Amino acid sequence: MLRFAPAQAARAASIAFCQQAAPAVGSSVAAQASTARRLSAAAPGPKPANPEFSSGPCKKHPGYSISNLLTSSLGRSHRSKLGKERLKFAIDETKRMLGIPDDYLVGIVPASDTGAYEMAMWNMLGARDVDVCHWESFGKGWFADAISHLKLREIVDVKEHTAGYGELPDLTKTSKDRDICFTFNGTTSGVRVPDGCDWIADDRTGLTLCDATSAVFAMNMPWEKLDVTTYSWQKVLGGEGAHGMLILSPRAVERLESYTPENRPMPKIFRLTKKGKLDAGIFKGATINTPSMMAVEDYIDALAWADSVGGNDGLIEISNNNLSMIEKFVSKNDWIDFLAKDPAVRSNTSVCCTLDLSPEQIKEFVALLDKENVALDIGGYRDAPPSIRIWCGATVETADVEALMPWLKWAYEEVKK
């Protein structure tokens, strides 16, 4: 009995499933919302076919159905031959699709992007002075952990490079001889680092630790600039939560094998080495703790869908098209603007906009669109300035972003009455 499909067969099977007539999330949402589609007299036009614009967990990909997932690994040990093969397959497909260099390692780790990034911080920081760059809530959290929990300022110099929501700090003030911690894309501010990361030196002696959870699969990742990269499945690919991805350059591996932090307890789920050597099994499918094999299959299905729309380049193009729809709308309406004023650093996934409304009116605006089943979960992040946040990752269809735009104007006019 065939228990595991080879790579090509598995991809083809998953794509084929997506083309079957099984009920899809997008169509089922549309069907369930049919009663909510009775337009009021002042309604501006058709509603988005799918109103899901959450910035995490994010919308499932078009054509998604849970019945499409391969189930042979469910109910089996993740340590079984089959379990490890499926985990390794997810790792291999990730490397292939993202164009990750052959000598880089990719592992599936616990606790989403947060777990992956904390794991890197706890294992690697403290060997050199550190530059921490942040301009929104998650990056600020990494800085707080570095000084309050890891207490790095007791052993090395830690510099904070920061800016307000909608802006970037001067990244050129970081040093190539220090470790650099940063987010590639500020999920709660809609501000990303410039394309290519030219501010990171090629001849650096420090490591770069990059939280790329809302950037991977939507922006070009300059791998030669990145030593540690982390992300989670529930962002651009619309996968399930709870699992993180950890990508290591050879320089990051060298740090792991040459540096052991003194007097720093290391929880089991953070341990990347054994007796001073990298635990290589983590990067071959031998996870530290028990993963959800259903979530793994869901991720594999998302990767197969991504292949069907042109791979990484296709995903980036969709996100860029979604952002372009909002940019056109903003250019024609003076009551809405981007939190990120500079287009060069404007996110194409977590698109954050300010409105010419009071904080209470913005809440009313968001609630109105929710009630109309036009846009769900678009309120700005709790720590951000009063704003809205529209997810534009590739699982969101451009036609839905286009359909949403006149409804934004409608909601604004309703609230202003």
Side-chain angles (χ1 to χ4, degrees):
M1 181 173 68
L2 180 63
R3 305 187 75 95
F4 175 70
Q8 294 297 329
R11 283 202 298 276
S14 189
I15 293 172
F17 269 127
C18 290
Q19 296 171 342
Q20 290 178 357
V25 164
S27 60
S28 65
V29 169
Q32 292 167 9
S34 61
T35 57
R37 287 179 172 277
R38 294 191 294 270
L39 304 183
S40 67
K47 299 180 180 181
N50 192 307
E52 296 168 358
F53 295 96
S54 165
S55 292
C58 300
K59 176 185 173 290
K60 290 295 188 183
H61 67 75
Y64 178 86
S65 173
I66 197 167
S67 65
N68 292 347
L69 306 186
L70 299 179
T71 59
S72 56
S73 65
L74 306 190
R76 295 293 310 278
S77 169
H78 62 296
R79 308 290 187 198
S80 67
K81 182 176 183 291
L82 173 62
K84 286 192 287 188
E85 283 175 338
R86 296 304 284 165
L87 288 160
K88 181 63 163 54
F89 180 65
I91 289 170
D92 290 345
E93 286 294 272
T94 297
K95 288 193 73 171
R96 178 185 66 83
M97 186 163 297
L98 289 175
I100 297 172
D102 290 341
D103 57 353
Y104 279 48
L105 300 178
V106 178
I108 298 170
V109 298
S112 194
D113 175 67
T114 301
Y117 202 80
E118 293 280 2
M119 178 183 290
M121 290 177 66
W122 282 71
N123 276 278
M124 299 184 200
L125 294 185
R128 285 177 173 270
D129 294 339
V130 184
D131 286 328
V132 182
C133 308
H134 67 85
W135 51 94
E136 49 92 54
S137 57
F138 288 102
K140 186 176 181 180
W142 305 142
F143 173 70
D145 286 354
I147 62 173
S148 299
H149 297 282
L150 290 175
K151 301 185 184 301
L152 289 181
R153 281 185 167 158
E154 295 180 4
I155 55 176
V156 295
D157 180 63
V158 179
K159 287 184 180 178
E160 180 184 17
H161 304 267
T162 186
Y165 278 80
E167 300 176 342
L168 272 183
D170 185 352
L171 299 174
T172 64
K173 290 185 177 180
T174 58
S175 170
K176 68 177 184 177
D177 298 319
R178 300 164 67 97
D179 291 337
I180 303 173
C181 298
F182 71 102
T183 51
F184 201 96
N185 180 73
T187 311
T188 65
S189 71
V191 177
R192 52 159 295 173
V193 295
D195 238 358
C197 292
D198 291 338
W199 53 279
I200 298 175
D202 291 331
D203 61 345
R204 63 190 177 279
T205 56
L207 297 180
T208 56
L209 284 72
C210 174
D211 169 2
T213 196
S214 57
V216 169
F217 295 112
M219 304 170 193
N220 286 309
M221 306 302 295
W223 297 112
E224 72 280 3
K225 303 283 189 176
L226 308 177
D227 295 305
V228 178
T229 308
T230 66
Y231 71 94
S232 56
W233 297 344
Q234 73 266 25
K235 291 293 186 183
V236 178
L237 291 185
E240 292 301 296
H243 300 77
M245 299 297 282
L246 178 66
I247 304 170
L248 303 179
S249 73
R251 298 179 69 250
V253 173
E254 191 277 332
R255 170 71 64 84
L256 285 169
E257 295 186 336
S258 63
Y259 172 67
T260 302
E262 292 185 12
N263 302 316
R264 186 181 296 170
M266 195 68 65
K268 179 179 179 181
I269 61 170
F270 280 6
R271 294 174 197 161
L272 290 170
T273 60
K274 290 181 178 179
K275 298 180 179 179
K277 292 295 182 182
L278 181 75
D279 185 354
I282 295 171
F283 305 93
K284 298 176 182 178
T287 54
I288 295 173
N289 70 338
T290 306
S292 163
M293 295 307 297
M294 181 171 286
V296 171
E297 295 297 344
D298 185 273
Y299 178 60
I300 291 172
D301 176 77
L303 290 170
W305 167 78
D307 249 349
S308 75
V309 296
N312 195 50
D313 290 343
L315 298 175
I316 293 172
E317 182 179 4
I318 295 171
S319 290
N320 286 339
N321 289 341
N322 289 343
L323 171 61
S324 293
M325 281 293 170
I326 300 179
E327 288 180 326
K328 289 178 184 177
F329 180 77
V330 170
S331 70
K332 296 176 182 177
N333 293 274
D334 60 6
W335 54 268
I336 183 171
D337 200 359
F338 291 102
L339 197 56
K341 298 295 191 293
D342 182 357
V345 296
R346 185 177 296 154
S347 172
N348 64 352
T349 55
S350 51
V351 181
C352 300
C353 293
T354 57
L355 309 178
D356 182 21
L357 297 172
S358 69
E360 288 306 312
Q361 286 176 318
I362 290 177
K363 290 180 182 178
E364 185 180 349
F365 175 97
V366 170
L368 184 58
L369 291 171
D370 185 292
K371 181 181 178 181
E372 288 286 335
N373 204 46
V374 168
L376 307 179
D377 308 320
I378 66 166
Y381 193 71
R382 60 181 180 268
D383 294 334
S387 56
I388 61 172
R389 182 169 56 153
I390 302 169
W391 183 254
C392 286
T395 59
V396 174
E397 297 186 82
T398 303
D400 284 339
V401 179
E402 183 177 19
L404 173 61
M405 295 301 99
W407 282 92
L408 296 183
K409 185 175 182 179
W410 172 84
Y412 172 77
E413 292 173 346
E414 288 292 307
V415 169
K416 289 287 283 186
K417 284 180 180 178

